[in-house]
Amino acid sequence: MKKVYAKEEVCVGCKLCEVYCITSHSRYKDVLKAYKFDSNRPAPRIVVEENRPLSFSLQCRHCDDAPCVKACITGAMQKDPVTGVVTCDTDKCVGCWTCVLVCGFGAIVRDTNNKIASKCDLCAESGEPACVKNCPNEALVYEGGI
Amino acid sequence: MRIKKNVMLENGDFVSYDKLLIATGGKPFVPPINGLEKKNIQTFIKLDEAKSLKSSVKPNSKVVIVGGGLIGFKAAEGLHELGADVTIVELADRILSTILDNESASIVTKRLTGDGIKIKLNTTVDEIIGDDYIKEVHLKNGETFPADHLIFAIGVTPNTDVVKGTSIKVNRGILVDKNMKTNLDDVYAAGDVAEGYDMLIDSNRVVPIWPSAYMQGETAGLNMVGIENATKGTFPMNSIGYKDTYIITAGIINPPDSSYDVITKADYDKNSYKKIVLKGNNVVGFILINDVDRAGIYTGLIRDRIDVSPFKDHLMKDDFGYVYFPKDLRKSKMLDLEVH
């Protein structure tokens, strides 16, 4: 399946991926509006790891054998059998953080305001991950595997 | 000799099988004490029990929870929210004794007692006193106090009743191999009823948690349809919380001897605590209180038996993550280059 892959060699740690991840999942699909007006602004579903000079962004790997899907106590976490995308049905999620306990990538974010697990959905709505689209250095690619 | 493979149902009917899975789960343990027949005494396992409790408990109801483990802990949270006067009675010297050490338990205890929840340690219920309804609880330590509800939350034991009188081997739970097969061909067991392989203690034990049940069920199912699949084994892991206090723990958290290394870090202003247990160059357990984000990275280190010697010094860092992994390990995981 197509996933987002990081090229750590060319990442400069600007965190624009975080900014655009937030924007993409905000009710406003505009950076300024998302930051200025969204009272319930979502958390970034990306972790930018840094230990200078190294940096890269890390998001859900949509694992073949996804531990979060198996461990989820409510069935909120699902892997689409066709696309392979792992998504959290936030109506079912009760915020128990069992997914946080089992995700070996640490890629599931706790949205403590809404008490739901928040994770990369590859920007299902727009069809193209916003982090990839807006990475100025092309340090993120969306492809079928490297 | 060809063995007839049948199960007998409660109503006397027989159903034949090619492969059989026993997944009867666990049942709540209730100790044999005087006064069990009084009203308003119950366990806390099923949704119906939670619902009936919710309808019967009123603000200022005096509720005693016997057992300060995972079940009792969540019961206490819910009952406190209903306005009940809650007392936890725990036989061990701390609450959540199977998943916390003394230090982390004291952080969590403070949060509960700060809400007015009373915790009585090193003792248990000796007798329940009352006429029709429970009125008082008498503890082994001699204390007696009023109560109008009592919840047994001592834990669950494997529900092995169904195999009684058969040749299926049972220790605490039904003993299974790494394919989740019992000692009988074509008979499998999984979940809270099973005593399966624990990769950390390198022997079988009952680990009655959902993630283990899922993996065991999956392994059993695959083998039952003829797809050979051996489990790597499970280990205890829990994510639980009380209101704004979060707890994530896994593996061996109270090392049994000095062959383990332990690293801890506490921040009392933030009520956070972190403990990592190592055996040689492998992480074998951890406790995270409040600062629980990305806990799964540690779980992954345990699960995949990663040699952490190149980045041991970074394990406790607040920003610990893949950035501290050796490049080849990081890339193999992040770029799907791992050989499966």
Side-chain angles (χ1 to χ4, degrees):
Chain A
M1 68 172 288
K2 274 177 93 175
K3 295 185 195 177
V4 178
Y5 293 95
K7 292 181 177 172
E8 62 182 45
E9 292 78 7
V10 288
C11 173
V12 294
C14 70
K15 300 194 178 180
L16 271 177
C17 50
E18 281 190 6
V19 171
Y20 283 95
C21 179
I22 290 169
T23 306
S24 175
H25 296 97
S26 161
R27 341 187 235 137
Y28 305 99
K29 304 294 173 194
D30 173 272
V31 176
L32 291 178
K33 285 180 184 164
Y35 273 78
K36 225 174 155 152
F37 303 128
D38 194 342
S39 54
N40 195 23
R41 196 170 70 212
R45 301 171 181 203
I46 283 182
V47 182
V48 177
E49 289 201 22
E50 279 180 291
N51 180 28
R52 290 291 170 187
L54 179 63
S55 67
F56 53 85
S57 90
L58 176 59
Q59 57 290 96
C60 171
R61 307 318 303 146
H62 300 276
C63 306
D64 289 340
D65 205 23
C68 59
V69 173
K70 297 181 179 184
C72 180
I73 66 167
T74 66
M77 207 62 89
Q78 289 288 336
K79 185 173 178 69
D80 189 296
V82 178
T83 65
V85 179
V86 175
T87 52
C88 177
D89 179 345
T90 53
D91 290 336
K92 284 187 184 166
C93 178
V94 294
C96 72
W97 317 131
T98 303
C99 51
V100 174
L101 157 68
V102 299
C103 173
F105 290 100
I108 298 172
V109 179
R110 293 184 302 137
D111 175 351
T112 46
N113 290 331
N114 298 301
K115 212 169 182 279
I116 48 166
S118 189
K119 65 176 295 302
C120 167
D121 59 354
L122 295 171
C123 290
E125 276 180 45
S126 66
E128 188 186 2
C131 53
V132 175
K133 199 175 164 186
N134 292 286
C135 177
N137 258 26
E138 295 181 10
L140 288 171
V141 292
Y142 183 46
E143 42 188 59
I146 287 179
Chain B
M1 189 184 86
R2 198 176 139 73
I3 302 164
K4 263 194 195 163
K5 295 191 289 186
N6 283 315
V7 292
M8 189 176 84
L9 306 184
E10 213 170 37
N11 67 6
D13 288 352
F14 283 91
V15 178
S16 72
Y17 66 84
D18 296 319
K19 307 275 179 186
L20 175 67
L21 174 67
I22 300 163
T24 46
K27 53 181 181 181
F29 177 70
V30 176
I33 56 170
N34 287 330
L36 284 179
E37 73 290 351
K38 311 277 182 248
K39 287 180 181 160
N40 285 348
I41 296 171
Q42 62 168 97
T43 53
F44 193 72
I45 297 286
K46 296 175 181 166
L47 181 60
D48 284 346
E49 292 174 328
K51 281 180 175 167
S52 79
L53 196 60
K54 193 174 180 181
S55 66
S56 140
V57 165
K58 305 282 176 282
N60 301 320
S61 284
K62 293 188 185 335
V63 186
V64 174
I65 299 170
V66 185
L70 296 154
I71 300 167
F73 186 71
K74 290 310 277 186
E77 182 188 41
L79 288 161
H80 179 263
E81 268 178 31
L82 293 175
D85 176 0
V86 179
T87 304
I88 297 173
V89 180
E90 167 58 50
L91 190 59
D93 62 357
R94 62 184 185 277
I95 58 163
L96 296 172
S97 62
T98 58
I99 70 161
L100 296 181
D101 61 2
N102 285 323
E103 188 147 10
S104 51
S106 83
I107 294 173
V108 177
T109 296
K110 262 185 215 151
R111 179 67 186 84
L112 265 63
T113 51
D115 265 0
I117 294 173
K118 294 178 275 284
I119 299 172
K120 296 184 186 294
L121 301 171
N122 302 305
T123 189
T124 191
V125 173
D126 191 35
E127 190 180 358
I128 300 163
I129 301 153
D131 299 322
D132 263 6
Y133 286 84
I134 169 176
K135 269 189 188 155
E136 280 182 331
V137 166
H138 184 67
L139 302 187
K140 284 238 163 80
N141 69 4
E143 268 186 82
T144 299
F145 54 92
D148 49 52
H149 285 78
L150 184 139
I151 297 163
F152 282 109
I154 299 176
V156 291
T157 52
N159 186 5
T160 55
D161 294 354
V162 76
V163 301
K164 254 183 207 151
T166 72
S167 52
I168 294 172
K169 273 193 187 146
V170 177
N171 184 31
R172 276 202 62 229
I174 297 174
L175 286 165
V176 287
D177 63 16
K178 287 182 183 174
N179 296 342
M180 305 313 295
K181 192 178 81 61
T182 67
N183 60 309
L184 293 190
D185 282 344
D186 303 324
V187 181
Y188 295 76
D192 290 8
V193 73
E195 186 169 328
Y197 182 68
D198 181 316
M199 61 176 275
L200 292 180
I201 60 166
D202 192 26
S203 68
N204 283 34
R205 76 192 279 195
V206 178
V207 182
I209 55 168
W210 172 247
S212 296
Y214 189 111
M215 286 187 275
Q216 293 181 341
E218 185 179 42
T219 300
L222 287 169
N223 287 296
M224 289 168 76
V225 296
I227 302 167
E228 161 74 22
N229 185 279
T231 175
K232 283 202 310 190
T234 56
F235 52 91
M237 54 173 83
N238 284 281
S239 172
I240 191 167
Y242 175 87
K243 299 184 183 179
D244 55 3
T245 297
Y246 305 104
I247 302 165
I248 293 187
T249 80
I252 297 165
I253 44 92
N254 285 304
D257 58 62
S258 58
S259 68
Y260 296 79
D261 292 318
V262 175
I263 335 171
T264 61
K265 186 168 118 180
D267 181 337
Y268 295 105
D269 293 333
K270 290 197 293 181
N271 272 331
S272 75
Y273 177 73
K274 193 171 189 174
K275 171 176 182 172
I276 294 176
V277 180
L278 298 124
K279 176 109 182 169
N281 291 323
N282 293 122
V283 175
V284 294
F286 67 87
I287 298 174
L288 299 178
I289 306 292
N290 283 325
D291 192 6
V292 298
D293 286 325
R294 311 197 78 199
I297 297 179
Y298 299 117
T299 310
L301 295 177
I302 299 175
R303 194 168 45 213
D304 297 338
R305 297 187 194 277
I306 302 291
D307 175 359
V308 300
S309 53
F311 53 93
K312 217 177 203 171
D313 295 343
H314 301 294
L315 284 171
M316 292 307 255
K317 285 193 169 158
D318 287 341
D319 66 346
F320 176 70
Y322 278 59
V323 80
Y324 297 107
F325 284 18
K327 191 172 182 176
D328 50 347
L329 174 63
R330 175 171 64 246
K331 289 212 157 187
S332 74
K333 290 201 172 284
M334 286 180 58
L335 304 180
D336 297 334
L337 305 174
E338 272 178 299
V339 183
H340 290 289

